[in-house]
Amino acid sequence: MKVLIVGNGGREHAIAWKFSQSTRHSGIFCAPGNAGTASFARNLDGLSSDDLEGICSAAKEHDIDLVFIGPEVPLSMGLADELRRRNILCVGPGAEGARLESSKAYSKEFMLRHNIPTAEARIFDEAAELEAYLSKATYPLVIKKSGLAAGKGVLESDSAEESRKFALEHIGEGPVVVEEYLRGYEISLFALSDGKQYRLLVEAADYKKAGENNSGPNTGGMGVVCPVPWFEANLMPRIEEEIVRPTFSGLEADGIDYRGILYFGLMITESGPKVLEYNVRFGDPEAQALVPLIENDFCNLFEAVAGGTLGEHQIRMSELQSLCVVVAAEGYPGIYQKGIPVDLGRVPAGPNYQLFHAGTVEAEGNILTGGGRCFAAVGTGRDFLKARNRSYELAASIQFKGAWYRKDIGNRVFGNREIGPSA
């Protein structure tokens, strides 16, 4: 089986790496891929992930059997629809299903229509009405840009002025969603769906803030623990009954044939689990921590997702713990430099260390950074401390000017007390 993975981030590196372990693959292609995927796959580096015609043509040219669409942008543009029109198996929802992520207004209306627990919210299309509401509102509130924003289109604030400024900056780009501020803790839950059946994967927890102790601006994600030691596992049946099943029933009722990954961003509150948002693909960096724990052959598993036979498969998860630390460029999530030379000469090797590249490129034998989040350092182990130590050992070995990472990923397991990254 020849497989094409669309995208060039750490998520796509992790997915391609897992496909490369399949006994069934006869070639791994990435469009465009990165310097990490180049070590085991053929990078189609002349393609961008949003070049729909180019990707469809490449799939035909290289006799691709299965396309796995990693990022949200090509999904929202309808890449899966176009591939299916050409009878090419693919993993990812069509544009209609992708609206669960590409429009926060649509997804909120979907949740309310199908009685899925979520934060109370109002959706605004007019600046004057929005400003009037915010001037009388009780804070804190959550303000969300409706469209795609790479994880940075959300503001949580107890400041009326900050909320007003953020909301008015985005109201001209489309609707703005104003939600109640939910208190609790977040988890990420992923389901695979073939349009008829779904299968749940183990939960993860993403660290979205740039600063330690969850301070500073939102990022695309600075670290992950998987599974989540502080998650009350006895809540899973309730989550499935109140949230997961109604979501897939709602998709079916709305006539959406959903074949791909569906992410549930959940807040576990005192009154129960509630949906913060949907994503229509694996999270990044959640995938980097989660994928190494999935023991199924990816060719078999995702051929079933794309082909409608997922009901014949059960998910097999490793008993290992996993922790991911993201190594970012100086200035991220603000202005940052690209093209910084990277030294990976001291990176530890072994089955419990996985280094995933994000947007890196190779030029004249040198690896250069290509984005704000540059690497995902993943450690696994039979206990959480071993996984954490390995992840931080790996992160510290990645050398480039201005490299930084949060030092507190997973500290909650130890009562949030500060312990050294390699303790």
Side-chain angles (χ1 to χ4, degrees):
M1 173 183 284
K2 289 185 179 180
V3 182
L4 170 62
I5 294 90
V6 177
N8 71 339
R11 167 184 51 217
E12 288 77 38
H13 186 177
I15 292 165
W17 166 77
K18 195 68 175 183
F19 269 110
S20 75
Q21 296 178 341
S22 170
T23 58
R24 290 186 59 205
H25 91 80
S26 56
I28 305 296
F29 295 74
C30 295
N34 58 44
T37 61
S39 66
F40 60 84
R42 179 174 174 183
N43 283 352
L44 306 178
D45 47 22
L47 286 176
S48 64
S49 62
D50 59 358
D51 180 357
L52 272 58
E53 181 58 37
I55 289 167
C56 291
S57 296
K60 286 292 188 183
E61 178 186 349
H62 297 290
D63 295 319
I64 298 298
D65 298 295
L66 178 68
V67 178
F68 192 114
I69 307 167
E72 61 273 25
V73 171
L75 288 167
S76 69
M77 294 172 65
L79 176 56
D81 296 313
E82 190 58 40
L83 286 164
R84 290 181 182 121
R85 273 195 288 270
R86 303 185 191 203
N87 296 315
I88 300 170
L89 276 181
C90 69
V91 177
E96 185 66 18
R99 290 180 68 197
L100 286 176
E101 179 171 2
S102 64
S103 171
K104 288 185 171 59
Y106 171 86
S107 66
K108 180 60 68 171
E109 290 166 348
F110 176 92
M111 294 177 217
L112 296 174
R113 185 166 67 251
H114 295 292
N115 299 310
I116 295 163
T118 187
E120 293 183 6
R122 287 191 59 177
I123 300 168
F124 295 91
D125 295 294
E126 300 292 336
E129 184 183 6
L130 171 61
E131 193 166 13
Y133 178 83
L134 292 175
S135 69
K136 299 176 183 178
T138 301
Y139 292 83
L141 285 173
V142 180
I143 316 294
K144 295 182 176 181
K145 174 186 174 181
S146 183
L148 296 174
K152 291 174 273 188
V154 178
L155 175 71
E156 303 166 356
S157 180
D158 56 7
S159 164
E161 182 54 34
E162 184 182 32
S163 299
R164 175 185 174 277
K165 180 181 178 182
F166 181 87
L168 294 180
E169 280 178 356
H170 292 296
I171 189 70
E173 304 166 15
V176 165
V177 181
V178 181
E179 293 186 351
E180 68 169 317
Y181 182 87
L182 296 177
R183 299 184 187 278
Y185 67 89
E186 293 185 42
I187 66 164
S188 302
L189 185 63
F190 295 90
L192 311 183
S193 169
D194 69 354
K196 297 175 290 187
Q197 305 255 2
Y198 70 84
R199 293 288 184 264
L200 287 175
L201 303 174
V202 70
E203 79 285 346
D206 178 24
Y207 288 68
K208 293 184 173 67
K209 298 290 188 177
E212 293 177 16
N213 298 314
N214 296 319
S215 61
N218 275 342
T219 72
M222 295 305 301
V224 177
V225 297
C226 180
V228 183
W230 53 86
F231 173 63
E232 300 100 318
N234 60 358
L235 281 175
M236 193 60 81
R238 181 175 178 183
I239 290 170
E240 192 164 4
E241 183 65 27
E242 296 180 6
I243 293 173
V244 178
R245 284 199 189 101
T247 295
F248 285 112
S249 295
L251 288 167
E252 184 179 3
D254 290 353
I256 297 172
D257 181 11
Y258 195 100
R259 301 188 183 207
I261 295 97
L262 184 58
Y263 156 98
F264 299 81
L266 305 178
M267 180 70 80
I268 309 302
T269 74
E270 286 188 355
S271 60
K274 297 187 178 184
V275 179
L276 295 172
E277 63 175 349
Y278 295 114
N279 288 168
V280 296
R281 34 74 191 184
F282 274 130
D284 185 338
E286 291 103 323
Q288 291 91 304
L290 175 60
V291 163
L293 302 185
I294 302 172
E295 295 184 338
N296 300 69
D297 182 300
F298 260 34
C299 283
N300 293 338
L301 184 61
F302 286 104
E303 182 181 46
V305 167
T309 60
L310 184 60
E312 300 173 9
H313 296 260
Q314 297 298 322
I315 301 296
R316 301 190 310 276
M317 299 297 305
S318 166
E319 295 182 358
L320 296 179
Q321 300 283 316
S322 178
L323 189 136
C324 168
V325 173
V326 169
V327 181
E330 184 177 14
Y332 179 80
I335 298 171
Y336 55 86
Q337 182 183 346
K338 297 181 181 180
I340 305 168
V342 181
D343 178 6
L344 298 177
R346 292 179 288 277
V347 169
N352 296 113
Y353 299 90
Q354 296 298 333
L355 178 62
F356 297 119
H357 294 228
T360 56
V361 296
E362 189 171 348
E364 299 179 354
N366 297 313
I367 293 176
L368 308 176
T369 65
R373 293 183 300 159
C374 305
F375 295 92
V378 179
T380 57
R382 294 209 169 273
D383 64 67
F384 187 85
L385 186 59
K386 283 189 176 70
R388 185 182 189 277
N389 289 348
R390 287 166 179 155
S391 176
Y392 273 105
E393 180 188 359
L394 184 53
S397 74
I398 302 165
Q399 302 292 311
F400 62 90
K401 185 180 178 182
W404 68 274
Y405 49 88
R406 280 182 58 167
K407 307 296 196 303
D408 64 338
I409 306 301
N411 275 15
R412 180 171 181 162
V413 175
F414 310 101
N416 282 323
R417 63 185 174 86
E418 291 299 321
I419 64 173
S422 56

